[in-house]
Amino acid sequence: MKQLITLTFFLLTFSAFAQKPCEYSTNVTDSLGTYKVTNEYLISEKNFGGTFNYLFFSLAQTDGLPTLNVQSIQKSKDFIKANCFDKNSKIFLQLQNGKIVSLRHIDQENCGTLIRDDKGFDNRVNTGIFVFVKDNFEELKKSPVTLMRVKYLTNIEDYIIKTEIKSEMNGKVYKPDSYFIENIRCVE
């Protein structure tokens, strides 16, 4: 009986600490190579005065090279300033352990696309692809992110990365500070 209780306890503990499986929005292998991208994940949400700003991350791997895809969505009835990515754009992630991880944007300028919806809102969607530095990649597995700085072509924005966000957009709960701890293994 004692062995049965021990076995039950072990199985429950094992399943409680097991990592969730990786979910991909794209997972393709063909004659040209391999490409996979994780589902988009909400990292920041700001709603103030009729202006909405959302920042999403997804991780990608192209033939063994891991990258971070960043998508910024701005929505407002007022003028929306373009934040452009260029070859000098960077993302700096400050970790809870005090270390700073930097990612470089690929050499491709992008100022996003402006789309007007049927409710009279202007929506600017901008995407950027950032490359990890090999040494910093390992640090992201160990410590949560507390602060993020994005260097655009003409602007710098800081984001406080929360432990938990309950999105006003869809009601889901996100844990952005541990995004890399939970998901970086999906693109190794």
Side-chain angles (χ1 to χ4, degrees):
M1 185 67 178
K2 187 176 182 181
Q3 292 173 340
L4 183 60
I5 293 172
T6 304
L7 180 61
T8 305
F9 176 74
F10 175 73
L11 291 175
L12 289 173
T13 304
F14 182 73
S15 64
F17 291 106
Q19 293 180 341
K20 64 180 183 172
C22 295
E23 295 179 14
Y24 298 102
S25 61
T26 305
N27 192 355
V28 178
T29 302
D30 61 15
S31 61
L32 298 175
T34 303
Y35 179 71
K36 54 185 169 182
V37 181
T38 62
N39 293 333
E40 291 182 340
Y41 195 86
L42 183 68
I43 297 299
S44 176
E45 179 180 69
K46 297 177 188 175
N47 300 333
F48 183 77
T51 299
F52 307 90
N53 292 299
Y54 305 100
L55 195 67
F56 294 92
F57 280 178
S58 62
L59 293 166
Q61 183 194 70
T62 307
D63 296 329
L65 176 68
T67 56
L68 175 67
N69 296 339
V70 177
Q71 182 179 54
S72 169
I73 300 173
Q74 299 168 291
K75 182 176 184 173
S76 180
K77 289 190 176 183
D78 296 329
F79 174 76
I80 298 176
K81 180 181 146 190
N83 284 327
C84 302
F85 292 119
D86 74 337
K87 65 181 180 178
N88 297 316
S89 294
K90 293 182 181 177
I91 290 182
F92 301 97
L93 302 169
Q94 183 171 340
L95 306 182
Q96 197 173 56
N97 65 9
K99 296 190 178 181
I100 295 177
V101 174
S102 60
L103 294 90
R104 293 181 310 206
H105 190 263
I106 61 172
D107 191 8
Q108 177 182 348
E109 191 169 312
N110 185 356
C111 293
T113 306
L114 191 63
I115 303 165
R116 189 168 202 62
D117 67 17
D118 57 353
K119 296 178 182 172
F121 282 93
D122 287 331
N123 298 278
R124 181 173 299 280
V125 180
N126 192 7
T127 58
I129 300 171
F130 291 83
V131 180
F132 292 96
V133 177
K134 184 90 173 147
D135 299 339
N136 294 337
F137 192 77
E138 292 299 317
E139 288 300 322
L140 291 169
K141 297 179 193 177
K142 301 175 190 173
S143 182
V145 177
T146 58
L147 186 68
M148 177 175 66
R149 173 169 283 175
V150 180
K151 181 186 178 297
Y152 295 100
L153 175 63
T154 58
N155 189 25
I156 294 176
E157 283 196 34
D158 290 332
Y159 298 86
I160 295 172
I161 305 301
K162 297 179 181 176
T163 303
E164 185 174 285
I165 297 173
K166 182 170 183 184
S167 175
E168 294 177 27
M169 176 180 54
N170 61 15
K172 290 184 180 180
V173 175
Y174 296 89
K175 298 182 184 286
D177 72 334
S178 60
Y179 174 75
F180 291 105
I181 293 171
E182 296 293 325
N183 294 289
I184 207 157
R185 64 186 168 76
C186 299
V187 294
E188 288 188 290

Short mmCIF file of all heavy atoms in Angstrom, two decimals, residues 18-20 22 41 59 140-141 175 178-186:
data_model
loop_
_atom_site.label_atom_id
_atom_site.label_comp_id
_atom_site.label_asym_id
_atom_site.label_seq_id
_atom_site.Cartn_x
_atom_site.Cartn_y
_atom_site.Cartn_z
N ALA A 18 5.32 19.03 -15.45
CA ALA A 18 5.63 18.76 -16.85
C ALA A 18 5.41 20.03 -17.68
O ALA A 18 4.49 20.80 -17.43
CB ALA A 18 4.75 17.64 -17.38
N GLN A 19 6.28 20.23 -18.67
CA GLN A 19 6.13 21.39 -19.53
C GLN A 19 5.01 21.15 -20.52
O GLN A 19 4.81 20.05 -21.01
CB GLN A 19 7.43 21.64 -20.29
CG GLN A 19 8.56 22.07 -19.41
CD GLN A 19 9.83 22.30 -20.20
OE1 GLN A 19 9.97 21.83 -21.32
NE2 GLN A 19 10.76 23.03 -19.62
N LYS A 20 4.28 22.22 -20.80
CA LYS A 20 3.22 22.09 -21.78
C LYS A 20 3.84 21.94 -23.16
O LYS A 20 4.93 22.44 -23.43
CB LYS A 20 2.28 23.30 -21.72
CG LYS A 20 2.93 24.60 -22.09
CD LYS A 20 1.93 25.73 -22.02
CE LYS A 20 2.63 27.00 -22.47
NZ LYS A 20 1.76 28.09 -22.63
N CYS A 22 4.68 22.45 -27.10
CA CYS A 22 4.80 23.65 -27.94
C CYS A 22 3.65 23.68 -28.93
O CYS A 22 3.31 22.67 -29.53
CB CYS A 22 6.12 23.62 -28.70
SG CYS A 22 7.57 23.71 -27.62
N TYR A 41 1.65 35.80 -28.62
CA TYR A 41 1.41 35.87 -27.18
C TYR A 41 1.44 37.33 -26.76
O TYR A 41 2.39 38.07 -27.08
CB TYR A 41 2.51 35.09 -26.46
CG TYR A 41 2.21 34.77 -25.02
CD1 TYR A 41 1.49 33.63 -24.68
CD2 TYR A 41 2.66 35.59 -24.00
CE1 TYR A 41 1.21 33.33 -23.37
CE2 TYR A 41 2.39 35.29 -22.68
CZ TYR A 41 1.67 34.16 -22.36
OH TYR A 41 1.40 33.85 -21.05
N LEU A 59 7.89 33.26 -31.30
CA LEU A 59 9.24 32.78 -31.57
C LEU A 59 9.24 31.98 -32.86
O LEU A 59 8.28 31.25 -33.14
CB LEU A 59 9.72 31.91 -30.41
CG LEU A 59 9.95 32.64 -29.10
CD1 LEU A 59 10.08 31.66 -27.95
CD2 LEU A 59 11.18 33.52 -29.19
N LEU A 140 17.79 33.82 -21.06
CA LEU A 140 16.34 33.96 -21.14
C LEU A 140 15.61 32.74 -20.59
O LEU A 140 14.44 32.83 -20.22
CB LEU A 140 15.91 34.21 -22.58
CG LEU A 140 16.31 35.57 -23.14
CD1 LEU A 140 16.08 35.62 -24.64
CD2 LEU A 140 15.55 36.68 -22.43
N LYS A 141 16.28 31.60 -20.52
CA LYS A 141 15.67 30.38 -19.98
C LYS A 141 15.63 30.39 -18.45
O LYS A 141 14.87 29.65 -17.86
CB LYS A 141 16.48 29.15 -20.40
CG LYS A 141 16.52 28.89 -21.87
CD LYS A 141 17.38 27.66 -22.11
CE LYS A 141 17.75 27.48 -23.54
NZ LYS A 141 18.64 26.33 -23.72
N LYS A 175 0.98 35.56 -18.99
CA LYS A 175 2.09 35.71 -18.06
C LYS A 175 3.33 36.13 -18.85
O LYS A 175 4.20 35.30 -19.15
CB LYS A 175 2.33 34.41 -17.30
CG LYS A 175 1.13 34.01 -16.45
CD LYS A 175 1.40 32.76 -15.67
CE LYS A 175 0.19 32.30 -14.92
NZ LYS A 175 -0.18 33.04 -13.78
N SER A 178 7.33 35.50 -17.88
CA SER A 178 7.93 34.17 -18.03
C SER A 178 7.76 33.61 -19.45
O SER A 178 7.92 32.42 -19.67
CB SER A 178 7.32 33.21 -17.01
OG SER A 178 5.92 33.11 -17.20
N TYR A 179 7.47 34.48 -20.41
CA TYR A 179 7.26 34.04 -21.80
C TYR A 179 8.46 33.24 -22.34
O TYR A 179 8.29 32.15 -22.89
CB TYR A 179 7.00 35.25 -22.71
CG TYR A 179 6.92 34.87 -24.17
CD1 TYR A 179 5.80 34.23 -24.67
CD2 TYR A 179 7.98 35.12 -25.03
CE1 TYR A 179 5.73 33.86 -26.00
CE2 TYR A 179 7.91 34.75 -26.36
CZ TYR A 179 6.79 34.12 -26.84
OH TYR A 179 6.74 33.74 -28.16
N PHE A 180 9.66 33.76 -22.16
CA PHE A 180 10.83 33.06 -22.70
C PHE A 180 11.14 31.78 -21.93
O PHE A 180 11.50 30.78 -22.53
CB PHE A 180 12.05 33.99 -22.70
CG PHE A 180 11.93 35.11 -23.69
CD1 PHE A 180 11.64 36.39 -23.27
CD2 PHE A 180 12.06 34.87 -25.05
CE1 PHE A 180 11.51 37.43 -24.18
CE2 PHE A 180 11.94 35.91 -25.97
CZ PHE A 180 11.66 37.19 -25.53
N ILE A 181 10.97 31.80 -20.62
CA ILE A 181 11.21 30.60 -19.81
C ILE A 181 10.32 29.46 -20.30
O ILE A 181 10.75 28.32 -20.40
CB ILE A 181 10.97 30.90 -18.31
CG1 ILE A 181 12.01 31.88 -17.79
CG2 ILE A 181 10.98 29.61 -17.49
CD1 ILE A 181 11.74 32.41 -16.39
N GLU A 182 9.07 29.77 -20.61
CA GLU A 182 8.10 28.76 -21.02
C GLU A 182 8.22 28.35 -22.50
O GLU A 182 7.90 27.21 -22.85
CB GLU A 182 6.68 29.27 -20.78
CG GLU A 182 6.34 29.51 -19.34
CD GLU A 182 6.29 28.24 -18.52
OE1 GLU A 182 5.87 27.19 -19.05
OE2 GLU A 182 6.71 28.28 -17.34
N ASN A 183 8.67 29.26 -23.37
CA ASN A 183 8.55 29.01 -24.80
C ASN A 183 9.84 28.92 -25.60
O ASN A 183 9.81 28.46 -26.74
CB ASN A 183 7.67 30.10 -25.42
CG ASN A 183 6.26 30.01 -24.92
OD1 ASN A 183 5.52 29.11 -25.26
ND2 ASN A 183 5.87 30.97 -24.07
N ILE A 184 10.95 29.35 -25.06
CA ILE A 184 12.18 29.40 -25.87
C ILE A 184 12.62 28.01 -26.29
O ILE A 184 13.23 27.82 -27.35
CB ILE A 184 13.29 30.20 -25.17
CG1 ILE A 184 14.23 30.78 -26.22
CG2 ILE A 184 14.03 29.35 -24.16
CD1 ILE A 184 15.00 31.96 -25.77
N ARG A 185 12.29 27.00 -25.51
CA ARG A 185 12.65 25.62 -25.86
C ARG A 185 11.98 25.19 -27.18
O ARG A 185 12.45 24.27 -27.84
CB ARG A 185 12.25 24.67 -24.73
CG ARG A 185 10.76 24.63 -24.49
CD ARG A 185 10.36 23.80 -23.28
NE ARG A 185 8.98 24.02 -22.95
CZ ARG A 185 7.96 23.49 -23.64
NH1 ARG A 185 8.19 22.71 -24.65
NH2 ARG A 185 6.72 23.76 -23.28
N CYS A 186 10.91 25.85 -27.57
CA CYS A 186 10.18 25.49 -28.78
C CYS A 186 10.93 25.82 -30.06
O CYS A 186 10.56 25.34 -31.14
CB CYS A 186 8.81 26.17 -28.81
SG CYS A 186 7.73 25.71 -27.42
#
